[in-house]
């Protein structure tokens, strides 16, 4: 019997297959789309359209140290270095910059949803303008309440229907409600398995290195509607279960402290991010991506509601509660916050959230300055000092007999 | 010169002086109105339906940041956010907005999203009337959604005012605002035509003062000014270097002083704080029947703005070109608000569109904390030499 492929490898293969399918579609002369990460993927998947994800591509390029090169290319085109690093990388690639780190076919249409950020609108407009291609826009207004108002659900749902009609006309594909049901079932199954896998972070000691979740997020972003994604996450959860039973973990160091890492990682600096955490025995056991991407829904209205709950589209009360609940469930000792120069909607209310977590959880919270894609905005020395400071505060807190409230 | 002409010119100067005084001291306006027993509501950018605030009996006062230094707001925002948000919050945290009954907070950009949340955290005692406008605003469902948002804000205003906003009152406010917008559009034309009488700083102040004055009062003064300007003899357009300004804000006194020192005048503008805010009227015939839908319709018709999704991807570019050609400007000055990513993301395509038409342009970085305008001065001097 052949050796079983580890879930980690299967998950990587799924993402690779998304890009491969896009290349193959392009070779067959079929249209290929670029999509924002929280555009309702159920729509292009139901229509059988090949779609790739610029945010995922940008993260991949940045992790392989191509971020600065492409950011600078975009700056040469006139884009300010204040603009989101993912957007700069993507615009550079769309304009013709080489990126062997994660190549993907150029788009024939773009699918834009601004639930993550409004920057997405201008970014995708620019791509559409460069290539003279259609842009399908699903607008999700920002929420100021925990519950999504019904009028907003109706607005988003109506846009789903318009997007479907536009894509049918554009690609000649026909919508199938039966296929849509299957796709939604796959998406829900993926989300459920993703949440289950993430849930193992609550075991003490954790059977996983929390940074693994950042890598696996690529699957929930690019392939959440595919059955192989759900299967790979189910296997991942089973492996963590096995780890718990055997007392094993993908975190190979002491687990002196359990932290929440808040924000997108600095992809170009993963080693630098990881080292002081490893040295102080601080395992990441909470990341907000679990609730943020693990959404489940029962019908189309509920799907519209789910897409209104992206990390940057929820109000401060919901955002604080997501994280606070995670921290409590996963018995977090401290929180490390990435003030991400690339992400204004995310970083913009973190200082207030810090205060709320501190009050609600009684754990130390420390921030550092960085960027998800542009290494010029990260200082390793500052980061090390901040992690060291966090470790000292967590030690003092523990010595005082507390692990938080 | 006849006595009549002398007195007309004196009155023009006097009116411009009144506008400058108001623009320089919005806090005095707030104190004046509240001293008279009126209630005021702050209105943040962009495209908030001030007519609703007005119809509820409040004085709407625009809050587009302020010149100064960010201190207290640093507890809420890291440094990489525009000063409209950071200084707006600074005003709230330092007591300047204490007398407001509420603020209206649209959320069309990634900085206004967290500003809305920070505001309610920082000043829970000042009601924050949240507004999330639709980007797919031209569709029937976009308008339906927007009406539902407006109805909520209307209800919140009514609760604060202790009275219903009647359709008649809203229709009347729509008329007041349409007249004010028309007068401001007329002023933009007349200021450009009478560049010797209206400096760049004075033009800015006349427009900015509208944010701090009840619109009927402002319109009365501006109409008087416009009528006086219209009666003045025609000027040679080549006496000044005429440009189109583009950006979010163009109201910094020290920055505009350089324009005046260089004899540069604004022939037309693509500035969010200026013409973008008053180029679209609310359709009055619709307002007479369904005023809330009329407000949604007006927003649906907004276009050519970095804050708005635009299906026609060359529309804004063509609009800027048309502004230059129609106004006879010799070039475009982009006043780039620091950390404003919608503007920064639109800029390369705008620049490229101008280049294809051989229209010179320059980009000048700007924010409300700037005190040293040496670089801007050098840039403008060089640009003037280029465009002649």
């Amino acid at each position: 019997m052949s050796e079983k492929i580890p879930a980690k490898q299967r998950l990587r293969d799924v993402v690779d297959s998304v890009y491969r399918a896009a290349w193959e579609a392009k070779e067959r002369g079929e249209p290929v789309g670029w999509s924002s990460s929280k555009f309702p993927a159920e729509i292009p998947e139901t229509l059988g359209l090949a779609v790739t994800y610029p945010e995922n591509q940008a993260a991949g390029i940045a992790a392989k140290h191509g971020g600065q090169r492409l950011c600078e290319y975009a700056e040469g085109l006139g884009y300010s270095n204040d603009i989101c690093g993912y957007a700069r990388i993507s615009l550079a690639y769309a304009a013709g910059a080489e990126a062997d780190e994660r190549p993907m076919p150029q788009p024939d249409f773009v699918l834009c949803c601004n639930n993550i950020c409004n920057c997405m609108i201008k970014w995708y407009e620019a791509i559409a303008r460069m290539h003279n291609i259609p842009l399908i826009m699903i607008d999700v207004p920002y929420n100021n309440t925990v519950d999504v108002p019904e009028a907003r659900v109706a607005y988003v749902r109506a846009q789903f229907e318009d997007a479907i009609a536009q894509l049918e006309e554009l690609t000649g594909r026909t919508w199938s409600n039966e296929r849509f049901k299957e796709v939604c079932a796959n998406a829900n199954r993926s989300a459920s398995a993703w949440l289950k896998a993430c849930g193992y972070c609550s075991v003490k000691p954790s059977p996983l290195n929390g940074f693994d979740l950042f890598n696996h997020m690529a699957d929930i972003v690019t392939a959440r509607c595919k059955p192989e994604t759900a299967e790979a996450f189910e296997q991942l959860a089973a492996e963590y279960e096995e780890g718990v039973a055997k007392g094993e973990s993908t975190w190979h160091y002491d687990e002196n402290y359990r932290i929440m890492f808040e924000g997108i990682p600095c992809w170009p600096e993963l080693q630098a991010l990881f080292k002081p955490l490893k040295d102080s025995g601080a395992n990441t056991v909470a990341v907000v991506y679990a609730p943020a991407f693990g959404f489940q829904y029962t019908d189309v209205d509920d799907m519209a509601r789910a897409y209104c709950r992206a990390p940057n589209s929820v109000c401060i009360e919901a955002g604080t509660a997501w994280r606070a609940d995670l921290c409590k469930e996963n018995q977090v000792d401290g929180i490390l916050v990435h003030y991400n120069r690339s992400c204004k909607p995310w970083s913009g209310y973190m200082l207030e959230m810090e205060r709320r977590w501190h009050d609600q959880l009684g754990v130390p919270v420390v921030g550092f300055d960085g960027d998800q894609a542009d290494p010029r905005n990260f200082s390793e020395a500052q980061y090390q000092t901040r992690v060291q400071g966090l470790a000292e505060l967590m030690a003092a807190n523990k010595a005082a007999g507390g692990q938080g409230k | 010169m006849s006595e009549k002409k002398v007195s007309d010119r004196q009155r023009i100067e006097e009116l411009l002086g009144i506008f400058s005084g108001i623009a320089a001291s919005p806090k005095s306006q707030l104190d004046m109105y509240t001293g008279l027993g009126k209630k005021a509501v702050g209105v943040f950018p962009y495209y908030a339906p001030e007519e609703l605030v007005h119809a509820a009996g409040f004085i709407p006062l625009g809050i587009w940041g302020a010149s100064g230094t960010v201190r207290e707001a640093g507890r809420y925002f890291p440094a990489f956010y525009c000063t409209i948000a950071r200084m707006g919050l600074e005003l709230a945290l330092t007591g300047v907005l204490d007398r407001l009954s509420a603020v209206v907070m649209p959320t069309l950009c990634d900085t206004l999203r967290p500003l809305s949340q920070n505001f309610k955290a920082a000043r829970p005692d000042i009601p924050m009337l949240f507004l999330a406008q639709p980007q797919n605003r031209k569709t029937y469902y976009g308008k339906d959604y927007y009406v539902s948002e407006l109805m909520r804000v209307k209800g919140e205003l009514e609760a604060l005012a202790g009275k219903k906003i009647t359709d008649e009152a809203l229709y009347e406010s729509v008329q007041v605002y349409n007249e004010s917008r028309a007068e401001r559009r007329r002023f933009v034309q007349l200021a450009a035509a009478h560049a010797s009488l209206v400096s760049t700083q004075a033009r800015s102040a006349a427009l900015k003062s509208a944010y701090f004055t009840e619109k009927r009062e402002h319109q009365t003064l501006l109409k008087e000014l416009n009528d006086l300007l219209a009666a003045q003899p025609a000027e040679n357009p080549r006496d000044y270097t005429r440009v189109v300004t583009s950006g979010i804000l163009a109201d910094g006194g020290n920055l505009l002083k350089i324009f005046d020192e260089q004899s540069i005048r604004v022939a037309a503008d693509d500035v969010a704080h200026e013409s973008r805010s008053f180029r679209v009227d609310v359709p009055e015939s619709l307002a007479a029947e369904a005023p809330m839908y009329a407000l949604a319709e007006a927003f649906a018709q907004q276009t050519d703005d970095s804050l708005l999704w635009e299906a026609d991807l060359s529309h804004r570019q063509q609009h800027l070109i048309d502004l230059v050609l129609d106004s006879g400007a010799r070039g475009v000055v982009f006043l780039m608000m620091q950390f404003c990513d919608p503007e920064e993301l639109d800029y390369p395509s705008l620049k490229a569109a101008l280049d294809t038409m051989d229209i010179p342009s320059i980009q000048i970085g700007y924010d409300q904390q700037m005190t040293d305008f040496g670089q801007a001065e050098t840039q403008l001097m060089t640009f003037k030499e280029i465009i002649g």
Side-chain angles (χ1 to χ4, degrees), chain A residues 117-130:
Chain A
C117 61
N118 285 315
C119 166
M120 203 71 80
I121 303 174
K122 308 316 289 183
W123 165 7
Y124 277 54
E125 277 182 4
I127 294 169
R129 197 178 289 117
M130 281 178 196

PDB file of all heavy atoms in Angstrom, chain A residues 117-130:
ATOM      1  N   CYS A 117     -12.085  45.214   1.382  1.00  0.00           N
ATOM      2  CA  CYS A 117     -11.638  46.618   1.420  1.00  0.00           C
ATOM      3  C   CYS A 117     -12.120  47.352   0.175  1.00  0.00           C
ATOM      4  O   CYS A 117     -12.398  46.743  -0.844  1.00  0.00           O
ATOM      5  CB  CYS A 117     -10.116  46.723   1.516  1.00  0.00           C
ATOM      6  SG  CYS A 117      -9.233  45.982   0.141  1.00  0.00           S
ATOM      7  N   ASN A 118     -12.157  48.661   0.277  1.00  0.00           N
ATOM      8  CA  ASN A 118     -12.537  49.483  -0.876  1.00  0.00           C
ATOM      9  C   ASN A 118     -11.376  49.676  -1.840  1.00  0.00           C
ATOM     10  O   ASN A 118     -11.579  49.997  -3.007  1.00  0.00           O
ATOM     11  CB  ASN A 118     -13.055  50.839  -0.404  1.00  0.00           C
ATOM     12  CG  ASN A 118     -14.447  50.732   0.178  1.00  0.00           C
ATOM     13  OD1 ASN A 118     -15.320  50.074  -0.380  1.00  0.00           O
ATOM     14  ND2 ASN A 118     -14.652  51.329   1.341  1.00  0.00           N
ATOM     15  N   CYS A 119     -10.182  49.489  -1.336  1.00  0.00           N
ATOM     16  CA  CYS A 119      -8.986  49.554  -2.194  1.00  0.00           C
ATOM     17  C   CYS A 119      -9.151  48.613  -3.384  1.00  0.00           C
ATOM     18  O   CYS A 119      -8.721  48.892  -4.490  1.00  0.00           O
ATOM     19  CB  CYS A 119      -7.763  49.181  -1.355  1.00  0.00           C
ATOM     20  SG  CYS A 119      -6.279  48.819  -2.278  1.00  0.00           S
ATOM     21  N   MET A 120      -9.835  47.492  -3.098  1.00  0.00           N
ATOM     22  CA  MET A 120     -10.060  46.482  -4.130  1.00  0.00           C
ATOM     23  C   MET A 120     -10.728  47.077  -5.369  1.00  0.00           C
ATOM     24  O   MET A 120     -10.427  46.691  -6.500  1.00  0.00           O
ATOM     25  CB  MET A 120     -10.965  45.418  -3.503  1.00  0.00           C
ATOM     26  CG  MET A 120     -10.918  44.061  -4.130  1.00  0.00           C
ATOM     27  SD  MET A 120      -9.373  43.242  -3.797  1.00  0.00           S
ATOM     28  CE  MET A 120      -9.608  42.629  -2.136  1.00  0.00           C
ATOM     29  N   ILE A 121     -11.622  48.038  -5.164  1.00  0.00           N
ATOM     30  CA  ILE A 121     -12.371  48.590  -6.301  1.00  0.00           C
ATOM     31  C   ILE A 121     -11.405  49.290  -7.261  1.00  0.00           C
ATOM     32  O   ILE A 121     -11.399  49.042  -8.468  1.00  0.00           O
ATOM     33  CB  ILE A 121     -13.451  49.596  -5.838  1.00  0.00           C
ATOM     34  CG1 ILE A 121     -14.417  48.943  -4.849  1.00  0.00           C
ATOM     35  CG2 ILE A 121     -14.208  50.156  -7.037  1.00  0.00           C
ATOM     36  CD1 ILE A 121     -15.430  49.931  -4.244  1.00  0.00           C
ATOM     37  N   LYS A 122     -10.574  50.155  -6.692  1.00  0.00           N
ATOM     38  CA  LYS A 122      -9.683  50.930  -7.562  1.00  0.00           C
ATOM     39  C   LYS A 122      -8.609  50.035  -8.186  1.00  0.00           C
ATOM     40  O   LYS A 122      -8.207  50.222  -9.332  1.00  0.00           O
ATOM     41  CB  LYS A 122      -9.009  52.064  -6.788  1.00  0.00           C
ATOM     42  CG  LYS A 122      -9.913  52.977  -6.019  1.00  0.00           C
ATOM     43  CD  LYS A 122     -11.137  53.403  -6.757  1.00  0.00           C
ATOM     44  CE  LYS A 122     -10.888  54.372  -7.895  1.00  0.00           C
ATOM     45  NZ  LYS A 122     -12.172  54.774  -8.518  1.00  0.00           N
ATOM     46  N   TRP A 123      -8.159  49.075  -7.394  1.00  0.00           N
ATOM     47  CA  TRP A 123      -7.161  48.110  -7.865  1.00  0.00           C
ATOM     48  C   TRP A 123      -7.722  47.339  -9.064  1.00  0.00           C
ATOM     49  O   TRP A 123      -7.068  47.235 -10.116  1.00  0.00           O
ATOM     50  CB  TRP A 123      -6.816  47.231  -6.672  1.00  0.00           C
ATOM     51  CG  TRP A 123      -6.097  45.941  -6.857  1.00  0.00           C
ATOM     52  CD1 TRP A 123      -5.545  45.410  -7.987  1.00  0.00           C
ATOM     53  CD2 TRP A 123      -5.827  44.981  -5.810  1.00  0.00           C
ATOM     54  NE1 TRP A 123      -4.982  44.190  -7.709  1.00  0.00           N
ATOM     55  CE2 TRP A 123      -5.135  43.912  -6.404  1.00  0.00           C
ATOM     56  CE3 TRP A 123      -6.112  44.926  -4.449  1.00  0.00           C
ATOM     57  CZ2 TRP A 123      -4.712  42.792  -5.662  1.00  0.00           C
ATOM     58  CZ3 TRP A 123      -5.699  43.823  -3.726  1.00  0.00           C
ATOM     59  CH2 TRP A 123      -4.999  42.767  -4.324  1.00  0.00           C
ATOM     60  N   TYR A 124      -8.947  46.815  -8.941  1.00  0.00           N
ATOM     61  CA  TYR A 124      -9.518  46.010 -10.022  1.00  0.00           C
ATOM     62  C   TYR A 124      -9.932  46.879 -11.201  1.00  0.00           C
ATOM     63  O   TYR A 124      -9.861  46.450 -12.347  1.00  0.00           O
ATOM     64  CB  TYR A 124     -10.685  45.165  -9.483  1.00  0.00           C
ATOM     65  CG  TYR A 124     -10.187  43.878  -8.838  1.00  0.00           C
ATOM     66  CD1 TYR A 124      -9.228  43.915  -7.827  1.00  0.00           C
ATOM     67  CD2 TYR A 124     -10.622  42.637  -9.257  1.00  0.00           C
ATOM     68  CE1 TYR A 124      -8.742  42.754  -7.254  1.00  0.00           C
ATOM     69  CE2 TYR A 124     -10.135  41.465  -8.684  1.00  0.00           C
ATOM     70  CZ  TYR A 124      -9.200  41.522  -7.682  1.00  0.00           C
ATOM     71  OH  TYR A 124      -8.715  40.372  -7.121  1.00  0.00           O
ATOM     72  N   GLU A 125     -10.357  48.089 -10.922  1.00  0.00           N
ATOM     73  CA  GLU A 125     -10.632  49.014 -12.036  1.00  0.00           C
ATOM     74  C   GLU A 125      -9.359  49.204 -12.858  1.00  0.00           C
ATOM     75  O   GLU A 125      -9.409  49.216 -14.088  1.00  0.00           O
ATOM     76  CB  GLU A 125     -11.067  50.385 -11.499  1.00  0.00           C
ATOM     77  CG  GLU A 125     -12.522  50.504 -11.126  1.00  0.00           C
ATOM     78  CD  GLU A 125     -12.892  51.910 -10.636  1.00  0.00           C
ATOM     79  OE1 GLU A 125     -12.034  52.816 -10.657  1.00  0.00           O
ATOM     80  OE2 GLU A 125     -14.029  52.079 -10.222  1.00  0.00           O
ATOM     81  N   ALA A 126      -8.255  49.357 -12.158  1.00  0.00           N
ATOM     82  CA  ALA A 126      -6.986  49.597 -12.863  1.00  0.00           C
ATOM     83  C   ALA A 126      -6.607  48.387 -13.714  1.00  0.00           C
ATOM     84  O   ALA A 126      -6.150  48.535 -14.866  1.00  0.00           O
ATOM     85  CB  ALA A 126      -5.886  49.931 -11.858  1.00  0.00           C
ATOM     86  N   ILE A 127      -6.803  47.190 -13.188  1.00  0.00           N
ATOM     87  CA  ILE A 127      -6.502  45.982 -13.974  1.00  0.00           C
ATOM     88  C   ILE A 127      -7.424  45.930 -15.200  1.00  0.00           C
ATOM     89  O   ILE A 127      -6.978  45.676 -16.320  1.00  0.00           O
ATOM     90  CB  ILE A 127      -6.697  44.702 -13.121  1.00  0.00           C
ATOM     91  CG1 ILE A 127      -5.685  44.638 -11.986  1.00  0.00           C
ATOM     92  CG2 ILE A 127      -6.587  43.456 -14.001  1.00  0.00           C
ATOM     93  CD1 ILE A 127      -5.981  43.549 -10.956  1.00  0.00           C
ATOM     94  N   ALA A 128      -8.714  46.156 -14.950  1.00  0.00           N
ATOM     95  CA  ALA A 128      -9.682  46.087 -16.046  1.00  0.00           C
ATOM     96  C   ALA A 128      -9.352  47.122 -17.127  1.00  0.00           C
ATOM     97  O   ALA A 128      -9.488  46.859 -18.324  1.00  0.00           O
ATOM     98  CB  ALA A 128     -11.092  46.308 -15.505  1.00  0.00           C
ATOM     99  N   ARG A 129      -8.886  48.287 -16.675  1.00  0.00           N
ATOM    100  CA  ARG A 129      -8.537  49.348 -17.622  1.00  0.00           C
ATOM    101  C   ARG A 129      -7.301  48.950 -18.431  1.00  0.00           C
ATOM    102  O   ARG A 129      -7.268  49.126 -19.647  1.00  0.00           O
ATOM    103  CB  ARG A 129      -8.290  50.643 -16.841  1.00  0.00           C
ATOM    104  CG  ARG A 129      -8.309  51.889 -17.681  1.00  0.00           C
ATOM    105  CD  ARG A 129      -8.108  53.125 -16.823  1.00  0.00           C
ATOM    106  NE  ARG A 129      -9.234  53.454 -15.988  1.00  0.00           N
ATOM    107  CZ  ARG A 129      -9.219  53.471 -14.643  1.00  0.00           C
ATOM    108  NH1 ARG A 129      -8.103  53.190 -13.988  1.00  0.00           N
ATOM    109  NH2 ARG A 129     -10.286  53.781 -13.959  1.00  0.00           N
ATOM    110  N   MET A 130      -6.295  48.384 -17.731  1.00  0.00           N
ATOM    111  CA  MET A 130      -5.067  47.969 -18.428  1.00  0.00           C
ATOM    112  C   MET A 130      -5.359  46.950 -19.528  1.00  0.00           C
ATOM    113  O   MET A 130      -4.769  46.987 -20.601  1.00  0.00           O
ATOM    114  CB  MET A 130      -4.110  47.278 -17.434  1.00  0.00           C
ATOM    115  CG  MET A 130      -3.318  48.184 -16.543  1.00  0.00           C
ATOM    116  SD  MET A 130      -2.323  47.115 -15.452  1.00  0.00           S
ATOM    117  CE  MET A 130      -1.848  48.274 -14.186  1.00  0.00           C
TER     118      MET A 130
END
